Amino acid sequence: MTANCRRALFIDGANLYATTKTLGFDVDFKRLLRSYNHNGRLIRAFYYTAMIEDQEYSSIRPLVDWLDYNGYRVVTKPTKEFIDSTGRRKIKGNMDIELAIDALELAPHIDEMILFSGDGDFRSLAEAMQRRGVRVIVVSTIQTQPPMIADELRRQADDFIDITQLIPLIGRETTERPVERAVRLAPETEDREAIKGRSLVERRYGIKAPSEEDDVG
């Protein structure tokens, strides 16, 4: 990788969310963008996600809006609802085609493709990009059971990076725990050790658990 390396990020939003949720950390997308914008030139950063259009409020909308204003090219499409063979309602929102088309169109202008996904359906895309002279780096994980990365995609990639190795670079920085903050900020007149000894319910919700001395009726 040289300073003249041209690269593009392709983020499979649903797959990345499932991976980080399983691993128990959140991505700081500002840090992610910054980490791939040094020692080279970041041409594009794509984020793909399907959205339910008829909902009054979508939990993913704030993230999509933030990404759109902060250096990412967000690609969305409405989900489709269908009934499976067992009669259960299912929601479908596959973005594979959109991601593949963007990658192939951008292939003549980049040296590296960084794919945040473990979906085995992208193996053929990785091979097609390699035929066009693009180095394909796949970011997913083998630390889950089963692994989030499909074996065929991992084998096809020029390089595989386990996302757990990137947590110090792209993970959202942990904030001080509420109990630690309460102890640190407590006035000198307040017994700080007493704060530490409060019940979990009292510390988290401000509800005092009844003691033996309390009149419970």
Side-chain angles (χ1 to χ4, degrees):
M1 185 168 57
T2 68
N4 296 322
C5 177
R6 302 167 302 169
R7 64 175 65 95
L9 300 181
F10 296 85
I11 301 172
D12 178 350
N15 194 279
L16 177 61
Y17 173 77
T19 299
T20 56
K21 183 178 180 182
T22 303
L23 292 172
F25 81 98
D26 294 322
V27 173
D28 184 327
F29 286 93
K30 183 180 291 185
R31 297 183 72 199
L32 189 155
L33 203 63
R34 190 164 55 237
S35 67
Y36 281 99
N37 209 16
H38 73 283
N39 293 330
R41 189 158 65 106
L42 186 61
I43 304 296
R44 287 283 187 277
F46 293 95
Y47 184 93
Y48 301 85
T49 186
M51 300 186 67
I52 302 175
E53 288 194 326
D54 57 355
Q55 284 186 333
E56 281 190 24
Y57 174 76
S58 171
S59 58
I60 199 174
R61 173 56 67 183
L63 172 62
V64 166
D65 288 342
W66 186 92
L67 293 172
D68 221 7
Y69 282 106
N70 287 274
Y72 289 84
R73 182 161 296 183
V74 180
V75 182
T76 66
K77 74 176 181 183
T79 56
K80 292 183 179 179
E81 182 179 329
F82 67 98
I83 306 299
D84 68 9
S85 58
T86 64
R88 288 181 295 186
R89 176 175 173 266
K90 296 283 188 177
I91 301 294
K92 182 179 180 181
N94 194 304
M95 301 291 295
D96 292 3
I97 295 296
E98 288 78 6
L99 190 155
I101 291 174
D102 286 340
L104 291 170
E105 287 185 342
L106 205 57
H109 309 288
I110 60 174
D111 305 304
E112 282 186 350
M113 170 189 186
I114 297 97
L115 174 63
F116 279 79
S117 181
D119 191 339
D121 290 343
F122 288 125
R123 189 208 66 80
S124 295
L125 171 63
E127 185 180 22
M129 295 294 284
Q130 290 164 339
R131 287 199 302 267
R132 289 161 172 78
V134 178
R135 186 166 181 264
V136 177
I137 300 169
V138 173
V139 182
S140 186
T141 188
I142 58 173
Q143 301 301 320
T144 56
Q145 291 297 329
M148 295 297 292
I149 177 74
D151 187 62
E152 61 269 26
L153 178 60
R154 186 182 175 192
R155 289 173 182 270
Q156 186 66 50
D158 293 293
D159 194 11
F160 166 70
I161 299 175
D162 198 296
I163 199 169
T164 56
Q165 300 173 10
L166 300 181
I167 292 177
L169 295 175
I170 68 171
R172 185 175 298 169
E173 295 180 352
T174 55
T175 56
E176 190 175 18
R177 293 180 180 179
V179 176
E180 295 170 346
R181 185 173 187 273
V183 171
R184 180 172 60 81
L185 298 180
E188 293 299 330
T189 55
E190 185 172 353
D191 185 354
R192 298 188 180 191
E193 290 302 315
I195 294 176
K196 294 181 181 179
R198 290 174 185 166
S199 70
L200 176 62
V201 172
E202 185 178 1
R203 293 197 307 257
R204 183 172 294 175
Y205 301 110
I207 301 172
K208 186 178 185 297
S211 64
E212 293 181 359
E213 291 80 13
D214 291 332
D215 183 6
V216 294

